[in-house]
Amino acid sequence: MANALGLVSSSLHCFRWRNRAPLWLSRSDKRAPFICCAAGDDDVEGHVLGTASSKAYRPRVIGMGSKLVGCGSSVPKLLISNDDLARIVETSDEWISVRTGIRNRRVLSGNETLSGFAVDAAKGALQMAQLEAEEVDLVIMCTSTPDDLFGCGTQVQRDLGCKNAWAFDVTAACSGFIVGLITATRFIKGGGFQNILVIGADALSRYVDWTDRGTCILFGDAAGAVLVQACHSDEDGLLGFDLHSDGHGHRQLNALAQGDDDKLISNSNGAPLFPPRKSSFSCIQMNGKEVFRFAVRCVPQSIEAALEEAGLTSSSIDWLLLHQANQRIIDAVSNRLEIPSDKVISNLANYGNTSAASIPLALDEAIRGGKIQAGNTIATAGFGAGLTWGSAIIKWG
């Protein structure tokens, strides 16, 4: 496996799963409703809080493969062009497009919510997969900008009507979708899950300093989703993967928690004052040059490692689909892997960097636009804050 070091660390921690022989496991206990609140302790919709699903018992079969059978996406109505930004900060359409490849981005406005777009994207994936919400076992919400501090996976599960599903959030910034996708395949292989929604959604516009032309030109809001379904191991659509993190690079890209004041408030005796001050998050801080160097070095290495696990070469893949961060990064990685431009998926010009949403958003457009066909092999990779990065070699359909 290629050695994909991050910015400055001398050691690397790589998380890998190996294929194992299928094992069939069934449980004899049947599920019963579980109520964790007092009688009459209903929510505003009359639903008894804490009641488990009443779906029929289904034996869990582990050792299964995974395939992608549906996708969907959703973006806000408000479009912000480069010319619009030129009215706010000292920049121009040419300056932005030459350096990033971005011309437009969408941002939340009015009553729009991130969870609302996540729901719309997931509905598209369910419709394509011809699956009902009640058939979903798990919802993985990949976001770093939830509507609620504690995450919004369960709200998405509720609004979709996935009453038989468990839901949780994954926070891995621009690598979030790749992490969620690989996590879904592990729940299928090792946990016997059948149908899993993986949603990538972010609203980084909430944390952008709109007076900083170095960052405000880059980011947009969106949501994308895929439906991952259990299949026979011979039909496994995840051919190989590779995941990494390097916390030494955290200082290069972050949005830190911060208090109301620069200094701690204390009593006259020097003891900290209680209650503590309110906290919020700073705007996104990024060292663009270092992040660029990190991406063009580590992402090709990660893809090569995943290809090696899959027993493939870069010439074997049909499409390269990277996190849509910067066109220069996309071009540099494709050149390093010797993948021609006509095999590279990019919609960066229309949406900017949408973080965890960028890969499923571009995937959905490419599939619905007829570019990606059933059976095509796709090399995909995410990279971003943490620092985290990873890749997956997948087969569509």
Side-chain angles (χ1 to χ4, degrees):
M1 182 185 73
N3 184 17
L5 292 178
L7 287 170
V8 294
S9 69
S10 60
S11 62
L12 177 68
H13 301 284
C14 178
F15 175 78
R16 302 288 291 273
W17 286 82
R18 296 297 177 187
N19 293 329
R20 295 175 179 172
L23 172 66
W24 287 266
L25 173 67
S26 64
R27 302 188 312 176
S28 58
D29 60 309
K30 297 186 177 181
R31 300 181 183 181
F34 173 72
I35 301 177
C36 64
C37 52
D41 203 9
D42 297 354
D43 71 2
V44 293
E45 298 175 351
H47 173 72
V48 179
L49 297 176
T51 53
S53 67
S54 58
K55 67 179 180 180
Y57 164 71
R58 183 179 65 198
R60 293 189 180 185
V61 181
I62 65 175
M64 303 293 285
S66 305
K67 59 181 179 180
L68 279 67
V69 296
C71 60
S73 61
S74 183
V75 299
K77 294 179 181 178
L78 181 60
L79 183 149
I80 304 295
S81 68
N82 290 345
D83 290 332
D84 293 329
L85 290 179
R87 298 185 183 98
I88 303 173
V89 294
E90 185 179 351
T91 190
S92 67
D93 174 64
E94 181 183 8
W95 192 91
I96 298 171
S97 59
V98 167
R99 287 163 176 77
T100 68
I102 301 168
R103 292 193 176 275
N104 299 296
R105 72 281 298 145
R106 304 293 185 99
V107 300
L108 294 180
S109 63
N111 295 324
E112 293 176 337
T113 64
L114 185 70
S115 58
F117 288 106
V119 168
D120 290 342
K123 285 180 178 177
L126 288 171
Q127 184 178 25
M128 182 182 289
Q130 299 182 340
L131 205 71
E132 298 297 327
E134 293 85 354
E135 298 177 83
V136 175
D137 303 307
L138 175 60
V139 177
I140 302 178
M141 179 69 177
C142 309
T143 183
S144 298
T145 56
D147 295 328
D148 187 301
L149 174 66
F150 300 121
C152 56
T154 54
Q155 292 97 305
V156 171
Q157 174 227 358
R158 175 199 62 200
D159 294 344
L160 282 170
C162 298
K163 62 182 182 180
N164 297 316
W166 176 41
F168 65 88
D169 290 63
V170 167
T171 301
C174 301
S175 302
F177 178 76
I178 292 295
V179 174
L181 177 62
I182 294 170
T183 300
T185 67
R186 301 308 93 185
F187 270 100
I188 288 173
K189 182 179 287 289
F193 286 67
Q194 294 291 313
N195 298 301
I196 301 178
L197 272 170
V198 181
I199 305 169
D202 267 309
L204 289 178
S205 66
R206 293 168 168 168
Y207 302 98
V208 165
D209 179 356
W210 292 100
T211 65
D212 174 18
R213 78 168 185 172
T215 55
C216 76
I217 64 174
L218 299 175
F219 300 105
D221 306 336
V226 296
L227 194 288
V228 185
Q229 190 170 74
C231 64
H232 194 278
S233 58
D234 293 341
E235 302 172 329
D236 198 347
L238 178 64
L239 307 180
F241 70 89
D242 184 70
L243 291 172
H244 301 273
S245 62
D246 182 358
H248 290 90
H250 169 258
R251 67 184 184 276
Q252 310 297 349
L253 178 55
N254 59 65
L256 298 175
Q258 58 185 10
D260 290 337
D261 302 312
D262 293 332
K263 297 181 179 180
L264 288 173
I265 302 172
S266 62
N267 292 315
S268 57
N269 62 2
L273 185 67
F274 187 85
R277 55 194 175 155
K278 291 183 178 180
S279 180
S280 61
F281 288 95
S282 70
C283 292
I284 295 170
Q285 306 293 318
M286 183 175 70
N287 184 334
K289 291 183 179 179
E290 284 301 321
V291 172
F292 179 88
R293 293 190 186 105
F294 146 72
V296 299
R297 181 178 67 254
C298 295
V299 173
Q301 293 174 351
S302 179
I303 292 174
E304 287 170 346
L307 284 168
E308 181 180 357
E309 183 178 19
L312 300 173
T313 63
S314 59
S315 62
S316 306
I317 66 171
D318 297 299
W319 300 102
L320 175 67
L321 174 51
L322 302 179
H323 162 53
Q324 307 286 290
N326 184 302
Q327 192 61 45
R328 287 181 171 179
I329 293 176
I330 295 173
D331 293 342
V333 173
S334 61
N335 289 336
R336 167 79 176 271
L337 296 172
E338 298 182 344
I339 296 174
S341 59
D342 60 354
K343 288 188 174 184
V344 179
I345 301 293
S346 176
N347 66 353
L348 178 70
N350 297 324
Y351 303 106
N353 180 345
T354 57
S355 193
S358 75
I359 292 175
L361 173 61
L363 177 70
D364 183 51
E365 287 196 343
I367 290 169
R368 294 180 187 274
K371 273 190 172 183
I372 296 177
Q373 301 290 322
N376 281 179
T377 300
I378 308 163
T380 183
F383 50 93
L387 294 169
T388 60
W389 68 103
S391 58
I393 312 301
I394 58 177
K395 185 172 289 188
W396 170 253

